[in-house]
Amino acid sequence: MKILASMIALGTLAPIYAQDWNREHAAAYLDARAAWWMTWPSAARDHETFCISCHTALPYALARPHLRTPSEATPNETKILTNVTKRVTLWSEVEPFYTDDKQGSPKSAESRGTESVLNALILVSNDAPSGKLTDAAKQAFTNMWAMQWKVGETRGAWSWLNFHNQPWEAEDSQFWGATLGAIAAGSAPVEYRSAPEVKSNIDLLSEYLRRMQSEQSLLHRTAFLWASAKLPNLLDAAQKDALIKELRAQQRPDGGWSASSLVMKNWKRRDDTPLDPQSDGYATGLVAFALQQVGIPRTEPGLARALDWLNKNQDATTGNWSAQSLNGKKDLASDRGKFLSDAATAYAVLALTAK
């Protein structure tokens, strides 16, 4: 046993672990958080809809299907899909998530760009098992491409919400949003992607991502790595290997990753408290999921250690994987304090259930 332990410590043999994480507890946590978000007054929008958040609603929509049988969507999943479909269908009638009148310019444009991408990603992900796009997904893509910048330095991307909140609503989050657009486009059936007008939009998006990726945080380039599994022309083999090497260099001794070491350089919380350096569920789940998407096997020592960390660090009481806010010290038991943990739990589930 000492020899085996030494081999694992040296990274020459992947750790062998029992699957101790609890799927039912994870599902219960995600369901409770989705239900809270959809009824929270601050998330309410016009036409009896609610905002689709990058921290709670989007990760839930992506991860929750992996904790059930394919034919049994949960009530919360159905509510999110109904909400998204309604806003897609009434695109010209519904107000943006945030408006210039209430939050100041350019919040209307930022909201439209952000929502168009999130809507398309949720609907195409739901359609993926069937291999066909529903009318709602097609309309969501039409809205998304209409909001895409076609000229200028940011051509290929979308105007993106910036409330100076890492990691999804900050100065550098436009790149993150573009990676989600690429994941959505790459998840669509090949016949859709091959249509000339769609292909030209995807080409513009791909050119933006390739042009801008070297300037991005490692956290956002992890999402770029994920996107490259959907649109293989984003990275050549050498670039992919270099990015994976960077991620491996940031893996902590316990097998996890910390969002604090992956976020944009010199990022500081608004309350001046130090960023938490320990491994967290969001960074570890996102990295472990992205690595699997580009073909790294679960038995590869570094990835196996990450999955082992996730396996061991689910909260036995709440069912979640925790992550502390990058914007200020939060009470992790509060609803707002759980936002990054909502995403952490969803990406941990995606990593642990990936095939």
Side-chain angles (χ1 to χ4, degrees):
M1 291 301 294
K2 289 183 178 179
I3 294 175
L4 178 61
S6 297
M7 292 177 72
I8 293 174
L10 291 171
T12 57
L13 187 66
I16 301 171
Y17 59 90
Q19 188 157 319
D20 295 329
W21 71 284
N22 191 304
R23 298 170 67 96
E24 290 74 20
H25 287 182
Y29 174 84
L30 290 171
D31 285 338
R33 293 296 293 159
W36 172 79
W37 175 260
M38 292 185 291
T39 57
W40 186 39
S42 294
R45 296 298 184 265
D46 71 318
H47 286 74
E48 299 184 335
T49 62
F50 53 85
C51 176
I52 295 297
S53 53
C54 289
H55 50 72
T56 301
L58 172 69
Y60 179 86
L62 297 179
R64 188 60 180 85
H66 296 268
L67 295 173
R68 60 167 173 80
T69 59
S71 60
E72 297 179 355
T74 67
N76 288 330
E77 289 175 79
T78 300
K79 288 178 182 178
I80 289 177
L81 290 170
T82 300
N83 179 84
V84 170
T85 299
K86 183 175 183 178
R87 290 190 62 89
V88 166
T89 303
L90 300 178
W91 185 249
S92 62
E93 300 177 33
V94 292
E95 289 186 356
F97 286 158
Y98 303 94
T99 65
D100 293 348
D101 290 343
K102 296 179 182 178
Q103 285 81 25
S105 180
K107 285 296 173 284
S108 290
E110 290 177 355
S111 294
R112 285 298 197 203
T114 301
E115 185 187 359
S116 71
V117 172
L118 300 184
N119 288 345
L121 179 55
I122 288 174
L123 292 178
V124 73
S125 297
N126 183 67
D127 289 350
S130 72
K132 297 180 180 179
L133 291 181
T134 58
D135 289 341
K138 291 176 183 177
Q139 183 60 51
F141 273 122
T142 297
N143 298 342
M144 186 181 90
W145 297 128
M147 297 304 304
Q148 184 187 37
W149 291 107
K150 300 299 194 294
V151 297
E153 183 180 354
T154 58
R155 62 190 180 278
W158 290 265
S159 184
W160 201 260
L161 281 169
N162 180 8
F163 287 110
H164 312 291
N165 290 323
Q166 283 287 352
W168 309 294
E169 295 176 349
E171 290 74 5
D172 64 340
S173 297
Q174 184 177 59
F175 185 86
W176 157 264
T179 66
L180 297 185
I183 293 164
S187 299
V190 65
E191 57 268 23
Y192 174 81
R193 302 196 311 268
S194 302
E197 66 277 11
V198 174
K199 185 178 183 302
S200 64
N201 293 328
I202 294 176
D203 289 345
L204 198 63
L205 169 58
S206 299
E207 192 273 332
Y208 166 83
L209 290 169
R210 289 193 298 266
R211 184 175 74 252
M212 302 297 290
Q213 64 94 13
S214 64
E215 304 172 17
Q216 307 305 315
S217 71
L218 195 49
L219 192 60
H220 290 337
R221 283 188 287 140
T222 301
F224 178 58
L225 183 66
W226 173 14
S228 75
K230 301 293 186 179
L231 298 177
N233 67 331
L234 294 179
L235 285 171
D236 61 32
Q239 291 171 324
K240 183 176 76 171
D241 289 345
L243 180 48
I244 292 172
K245 184 177 180 180
E246 279 192 73
L247 286 169
R248 284 174 172 155
Q250 292 298 325
Q251 189 170 19
R252 292 172 50 78
D254 63 4
W257 278 268
S258 171
S260 66
S261 67
L262 305 181
V263 73
M264 66 185 294
K265 293 180 180 179
N266 302 318
W267 177 257
K268 293 183 179 180
R269 285 171 161 174
R270 282 192 292 274
D271 59 6
D272 291 324
T273 57
L275 291 169
D276 293 339
Q278 70 266 24
S279 298
D280 63 75
Y282 176 64
T284 307
L286 180 61
V287 174
F289 177 65
L291 290 175
Q292 290 178 85
Q293 294 305 290
V294 295
I296 303 300
R298 294 168 72 91
T299 53
E300 187 274 327
L303 178 54
R305 289 173 55 233
L307 295 173
D308 190 41
W309 187 93
L310 291 171
N311 185 63
K312 293 175 179 177
N313 281 275
Q314 181 187 25
D315 189 292
T317 301
T318 65
N320 76 346
W321 283 261
S322 66
Q324 181 59 258
S325 171
L326 295 168
N327 305 300
K329 194 73 173 179
K330 304 289 186 181
D331 176 5
L332 292 180
S334 69
D335 283 318
R336 288 180 180 271
K338 292 176 182 175
F339 284 164
L340 198 58
S341 295
D342 296 346
T345 303
Y347 285 104
V349 166
L350 286 170
L352 289 165
T353 60
K355 297 180 181 179

